[in-house]
Amino acid sequence: MEGPILDKRSPAVLLDHGSGGRASRRLVEELLLPHLKNDLLDRMDDAAVLQAGGARLAFTTDSYVVDPIFFPGGDIGMLAVHGTINDLAMAGARPVALSAGLILEEGLPLADLERIVASMAKAAANAGVPIATGDTKVVARGAADKIFINTAGIGLVPDGVDVSGHHGRAGDCVILSGPIAEHGVAILSTRAGLSFASSCRSDSAPLAGLVADMLAACPSIHSLRDPTRGGLAATLNELASQSHVRIDIDETAIPVSEAAASACEILGIDPLHLANEGVLVALVPEPGAVAVVDTMRAHPYGRQARIIGRVLEGEPIVVMKTVIGGKRIVSVPSGQPLPRIC
Amino acid sequence: MEGPILDKRSPAVLLDHGSGGRASRRLVEELLLPHLKNDLLDRMDDAAVLQAGGARLAFTTDSYVVDPIFFPGGDIGMLAVHGTINDLAMAGARPVALSAGLILEEGLPLADLERIVASMAKAAANAGVPIATGDTKVVARGAADKIFINTAGIGLVPDGVDVSGHHGRAGDCVILSGPIAEHGVAILSTRAGLSFASSCRSDSAPLAGLVADMLAACPSIHSLRDPTRGGLAATLNELASQSHVRIDIDETAIPVSEAAASACEILGIDPLHLANEGVLVALVPEPGAVAVVDTMRAHPYGRQARIIGRVLEGEPIVVMKTVIGGKRIVSVPSGQPLPRIC
């Protein structure tokens, strides 16, 4: 067998490879990309943008394996629809259509399947994006865990819009659309049966409308990304790395609900490392930033939008001014596998 | 729980729901479509065709859960690339790009993953279709079986091409591109450890080039479909049902290799029910049929192409004139779960 082995002591897939953190990135960069290498994939944005028949298309895919499949604030079906709509939106695209690929475990109650499909249908209808094509497979009991859903999506990128994780520039403002860690805490507290976090619900929401409003206010937005797996920490590090910039943020500016904060404290988890499913980060040229924030605050999914930091020249790191006034480097999650969060 | 229950005695997903036969169809038509209903999905072609930004796009998805993941003639990675290219081709589309969503089981050897990804890359490069976007998830040991792959694809449908399972008309010729049952026998014989079928290899192949040649010879081809799950029997019944026509075929005209035929005999399986991954069926207006067959025979994947039957007015059934001169109705596979064939 030729080619790179990520870790010779453990030449097998580990849970950490799916965490969205450092191990995930190494798996993709050292094992997958060397084979699949092409200009589109190499950009590693949430969606690829390509020309087809005179149209500028965004194209993206995500598989959803969240456990449990029903959780406070949502379910795997809603998540699969919102997640892929959001990946299209993060390319600045207007979503056109979704696909849905279901992998079902023998024995899944049909009532559960129907509840999930109804939830997908409702989420798609509310977002105004049809599920245009689908596929259903069944595997024997024990060969999958209840249900996995893949959604792919296509969208149209409007003329003049050119959003990418590579476009951050020194001087940009870092804008966050709302409170973080709600989805991650909802999933983890359900799994752990933690009652103290009972008020945390997944923030799963479709962000394409919010993004359309933001682009109307400032068509030159540089970067958009939704901090899902790996949380805000992983997303900001990705943006810093792709744009070759330093990102400085202010902890006091980052909204975290009391319930989420106390859950994170008890679980010993950094809220910056937890997944969000209805939040976005934008890097916006300073002259447009205030207009973008004002626009976002007028939208239901951006009411708590604010500037949380700045893009600077320098090494691609993320530095946070802490509540107590110190500074710390925000690292990519590592060695903390939080599998099946989405 | 409101809504339809497929079988009240067994209100859960069964393996047969994934067979591509009658149970699969009921699951989709009675449980999924009532919720997801829209004009695109309701057509139930291999790919949806939609307008976006002035372009006529085909969009499709398929998840691959084949067991074993390596088999004579191919592997799950090659299959995932060819299968989705073929679904685009069956809409008459020129494939533009694929997505790849991997679900990995903890413990999958990285060497196996790399072999599969290299195979995907090779299949995509050979077909000239980039994998533009991807996603990787990991689930714990026992929560999936080694690896599942979803591929979605987008393609461009050329002007003047309008291919659909609904377009078959009385008088059309039924054209088959090559020998059937090879993929199904390769998978089943590997699983069963049957040495007599050792010469059967999966026919997995990308058919977009063949289809482009066929459309150049006859742009008015009515219907195209690749007989995968459920085999030629399911595909012809789908076409008959969607087009409200009767389809008559001639058993002596359908090529089946000796190895596949004897394997089917020993296994007690009808070769018409077995999956193919490099074969297509076309319904072609009679005046163009000979030209289409001639064109196909000049293509590596159509060398054994021939007219195997006719479309007639009448009830939507498939009737086969057998080798011994009788006639029998070709039914959709039912109660013969062949799970994880693709």
Side-chain angles (χ1 to χ4, degrees):
Chain A
M1 193 71 218
E2 280 183 22
I5 294 298
L6 294 170
D7 181 345
K8 282 176 181 162
R9 292 160 305 173
S10 170
V13 171
L14 308 173
L15 278 179
D16 203 20
H17 286 132
S19 65
R22 196 180 305 275
S24 299
R25 195 156 156 182
R26 289 196 63 196
L27 184 75
V28 170
E29 290 181 355
E30 297 177 29
L31 195 146
L32 305 181
L33 280 188
H35 291 284
L36 296 172
K37 209 161 182 49
N38 64 56
D39 292 346
L40 293 166
L41 201 59
D42 290 353
R43 291 190 69 77
M44 295 288 291
D45 278 326
D46 285 348
V49 176
L50 47 97
Q51 294 284 344
R56 244 171 110 217
L57 295 181
F59 185 31
T60 190
T61 188
D62 249 325
S63 297
Y64 296 82
V65 298
V66 64
D67 173 33
I69 57 176
F70 301 106
F71 46 81
D75 57 72
I76 190 172
M78 170 206 276
L79 205 63
V81 168
H82 291 163
T84 290
I85 286 175
N86 292 350
D87 282 347
L88 293 171
M90 297 310 126
R94 181 175 63 75
V96 170
L98 301 181
S99 66
L102 310 179
I103 298 175
L104 310 178
E105 184 189 13
E106 178 191 17
L108 175 73
L110 288 176
D112 285 355
L113 175 59
E114 184 162 37
R115 187 175 155 197
I116 288 163
V117 170
S119 173
M120 293 184 80
K122 188 177 162 198
N126 286 347
V129 186
I131 295 173
T133 184
D135 175 59
T136 306
K137 293 291 191 303
V138 179
V139 299
R141 221 176 274 267
D145 188 12
K146 299 189 250 328
I147 180 170
F148 300 147
I149 302 178
N150 177 284
T151 46
I154 53 181
L156 279 172
V157 183
D159 285 340
V161 169
D162 189 12
V163 172
S164 164
H166 298 263
H167 292 176
R169 293 290 172 271
D172 285 355
C173 293
V174 182
I175 297 173
L176 178 67
S177 66
I180 62 166
E182 297 291 314
H183 177 76
V185 169
I187 299 295
L188 288 176
S189 59
T190 306
R191 269 194 226 160
L194 302 179
S195 57
F196 60 81
S198 60
S199 66
C200 281
R201 298 164 60 80
S202 171
D203 58 348
S204 179
L207 300 176
L210 176 65
V211 168
D213 288 356
M214 292 167 67
L215 286 167
C218 176
S220 64
I221 289 173
H222 284 158
S223 306
L224 291 166
R225 193 150 292 172
D226 55 336
T228 56
R229 272 187 300 176
L232 189 61
T235 291
L236 291 174
N237 273 285
E238 278 168 32
L239 292 172
S241 166
Q242 290 185 320
S243 292
H244 307 289
V245 293
R246 169 173 159 164
I247 294 178
D248 275 22
I249 56 173
D250 180 352
E251 188 171 18
T252 60
I254 300 171
V256 184
S257 73
E258 258 183 61
S262 61
C264 286
E265 211 172 301
I266 290 168
L267 293 163
I269 292 177
D270 187 338
L272 295 176
H273 287 177
L274 280 182
N276 311 278
E277 294 291 343
V279 170
L280 65 80
V281 174
L283 305 184
V284 181
E286 201 276 335
V290 171
V292 168
V293 170
D294 287 346
T295 301
M296 292 172 78
R297 287 188 176 163
H299 192 283
Y301 300 134
R303 290 230 173 83
Q304 296 186 58
R306 57 198 299 182
I307 295 169
I308 64 161
R310 280 290 200 167
V311 177
L312 307 174
E313 285 187 37
E315 289 302 300
I317 54 170
V318 179
V319 178
M320 184 165 75
K321 193 174 136 200
T322 64
V323 176
I324 55 167
K327 286 196 174 184
R328 74 167 171 98
I329 290 183
V330 176
S331 60
V332 179
S334 167
Q336 288 185 325
L338 301 173
R340 304 185 60 188
I341 200 92
C342 60
Chain B
M1 194 68 216
E2 279 184 23
I5 295 297
L6 294 168
D7 181 344
K8 282 177 182 161
R9 291 161 303 172
S10 170
V13 172
L14 308 171
L15 277 179
D16 203 20
H17 286 132
S19 65
R22 195 180 305 274
S24 298
R25 195 157 155 181
R26 289 197 64 196
L27 183 75
V28 170
E29 291 181 356
E30 297 178 28
L31 195 146
L32 304 181
L33 281 188
H35 291 284
L36 296 172
K37 208 160 184 51
N38 63 56
D39 291 348
L40 294 166
L41 200 61
D42 290 355
R43 292 191 69 79
M44 295 289 290
D45 278 328
D46 284 348
V49 176
L50 47 98
Q51 295 283 343
R56 243 172 110 216
L57 294 181
F59 185 31
T60 190
T61 187
D62 250 327
S63 298
Y64 296 83
V65 297
V66 64
D67 173 34
I69 57 176
F70 301 107
F71 46 80
D75 58 71
I76 189 171
M78 169 205 278
L79 205 63
V81 168
H82 291 163
T84 290
I85 286 175
N86 292 351
D87 281 346
L88 293 171
M90 298 310 129
R94 182 175 63 75
V96 170
L98 301 181
S99 66
L102 310 180
I103 298 175
L104 310 178
E105 184 189 13
E106 179 191 18
L108 175 73
L110 288 175
D112 285 356
L113 175 60
E114 185 162 36
R115 187 174 156 198
I116 289 164
V117 170
S119 174
M120 293 184 80
K122 187 176 163 200
N126 286 347
V129 185
I131 295 173
T133 184
D135 175 58
T136 306
K137 293 291 191 304
V138 179
V139 299
R141 222 176 272 270
D145 187 12
K146 299 190 252 322
I147 179 170
F148 301 145
I149 302 178
N150 177 284
T151 46
I154 53 180
L156 278 173
V157 183
D159 286 340
V161 169
D162 189 12
V163 173
S164 164
H166 298 263
H167 292 177
R169 293 291 172 270
D172 284 355
C173 293
V174 182
I175 298 172
L176 179 67
S177 66
I180 62 166
E182 297 292 313
H183 177 76
V185 169
I187 299 295
L188 288 176
S189 59
T190 307
R191 269 195 227 160
L194 302 178
S195 57
F196 60 80
S198 59
S199 67
C200 281
R201 297 166 60 81
S202 172
D203 59 348
S204 179
L207 300 176
L210 176 64
V211 167
D213 289 356
M214 293 167 68
L215 286 167
C218 175
S220 64
I221 289 173
H222 285 158
S223 306
L224 291 166
R225 193 149 293 171
D226 56 336
T228 56
R229 272 187 300 177
L232 189 60
T235 291
L236 290 175
N237 273 284
E238 277 168 33
L239 292 172
S241 166
Q242 289 185 320
S243 293
H244 307 289
V245 293
R246 169 171 159 165
I247 294 179
D248 275 24
I249 56 172
D250 180 352
E251 188 171 16
T252 60
I254 300 170
V256 184
S257 73
E258 259 182 61
S262 61
C264 285
E265 211 171 302
I266 290 168
L267 293 164
I269 291 178
D270 188 339
L272 296 177
H273 287 177
L274 280 181
N276 311 278
E277 294 291 342
V279 170
L280 66 80
V281 174
L283 306 184
V284 180
E286 202 276 334
V290 171
V292 169
V293 170
D294 286 346
T295 301
M296 293 172 77
R297 286 187 177 162
H299 192 283
Y301 299 135
R303 291 230 173 81
Q304 295 186 59
R306 57 197 299 182
I307 295 170
I308 63 161
R310 279 289 200 168
V311 177
L312 307 175
E313 286 188 34
E315 288 302 300
I317 55 171
V318 179
V319 177
M320 184 165 76
K321 193 174 136 198
T322 64
V323 176
I324 55 166
K327 285 196 173 182
R328 74 166 170 96
I329 289 182
V330 176
S331 59
V332 178
S334 169
Q336 290 186 326
L338 301 173
R340 304 184 59 185
I341 201 89
C342 62

